[in-house]
Amino acid sequence: EPEVTQTPSHQVTQMGQEVILRCVPISNHLYFYWYRQILGQKVEFLVSFYNNEISEKSEIFDDQFSVERPDGSNFTLKIRSTKLEDSAMYFCASSIVGHTEAFFGQGTRLTVV
Amino acid sequence: DAKTTQPPSMDCAEGRAANLPCNHSTISGNEYVYWYRQIHSQGPQYIIHGLKNNETNEMASLIITEDRKSSTLILPHATLRDTAVYYCIVRVMGAGDSGGYQKVTFGTGTKLQVIP
């Protein structure tokens, strides 16, 4: 069964450093998303991406965040200068045009120290 | 997206049916009912969705009342692996300026504990 894969599973970084979280969406999907979940809190939407551009972003997704689809398979989330409060699980998801369910990856646990 | 109300937690005996209720009294005519679940620290998993007819797949059944103001997700034979937080979400299918982006807005859900 096709699945969304995320790497790394766990990333530890120092405050102020840049991190790139990587995702390989399901191959025939065209819509891509990033969500995050701070420990013990709700899953929060960050950004959606379609046709090589951001289609929607939340208030969390400020200038420190960016997304990119550098090639035909990868979808990345970059945090330019990490803060302690960026520590969370980050989930990538994808969906196919005309379908309704989003398929989520297993997440990357980001720890900012 | 319409607001949903779910009980914060429920228990279910292993092997029995788990019935998870959801109220969505402000649902509008073009909004679907979706269910996702999140097993501890894993990515959310799509379960099922429906508009007004009852739906069944290999994971669960979805019963939507005739007035569409509430629904029930049924796991027919709960196992320990079904212990998770279950999210009921109401939203329009395929809405958005980009022709179909499908953001999912998660609430706090129902924490289902399946007991041996």
Side-chain angles (χ1 to χ4, degrees), chain A residues 75-93:
Chain A
F75 180 51
T76 62
L77 175 70
K78 181 192 291 185
I79 309 175
R80 290 189 181 82
S81 178
T82 51
K83 304 187 285 277
L84 294 176
E85 54 264 39
D86 293 328
S87 295
M89 283 289 286
Y90 288 80
F91 296 109
C92 173

Side-chain angles (χ1 to χ4, degrees), chain B residues 40-62:
Chain B
H40 180 64
S41 294
Q42 296 183 22
Q45 179 187 23
Y46 164 83
I47 301 173
I48 198 167
H49 75 279
L51 181 62
K52 54 184 177 181
N53 297 320
N54 298 338
E55 301 288 343
T56 296
N57 63 21
E58 65 278 5
M59 289 183 67
S61 295
L62 174 61

Side-chain angles (χ1 to χ4, degrees), chain A residues 7-49:
Chain A
T7 55
S9 56
H10 192 184
Q11 172 100 39
V12 180
T13 189
Q14 289 199 326
M15 190 169 53
Q17 295 296 304
E18 174 183 286
V19 293
I20 297 176
L21 309 182
R22 302 181 190 279
C23 169
V24 179
I26 295 173
S27 62
N28 61 340
H29 286 190
L30 297 179
Y31 295 87
F32 314 112
Y33 317 87
W34 284 100
Y35 290 77
R36 79 171 186 189
Q37 186 175 33
I38 296 170
L39 185 64
Q41 298 187 22
K42 292 188 288 187
V43 178
E44 302 173 290
F45 169 77
L46 292 179
V47 66
S48 58
F49 191 86

Side-chain angles (χ1 to χ4, degrees), chain B residues 24-43:
Chain B
H24 31 79
S25 58
T26 60
I27 192 170
S28 58
N30 62 344
E31 289 182 311
Y32 287 70
V33 180
Y34 291 79
W35 285 83
Y36 283 76
R37 73 179 181 182
Q38 187 178 25
I39 297 170
H40 180 64
S41 294
Q42 296 183 22

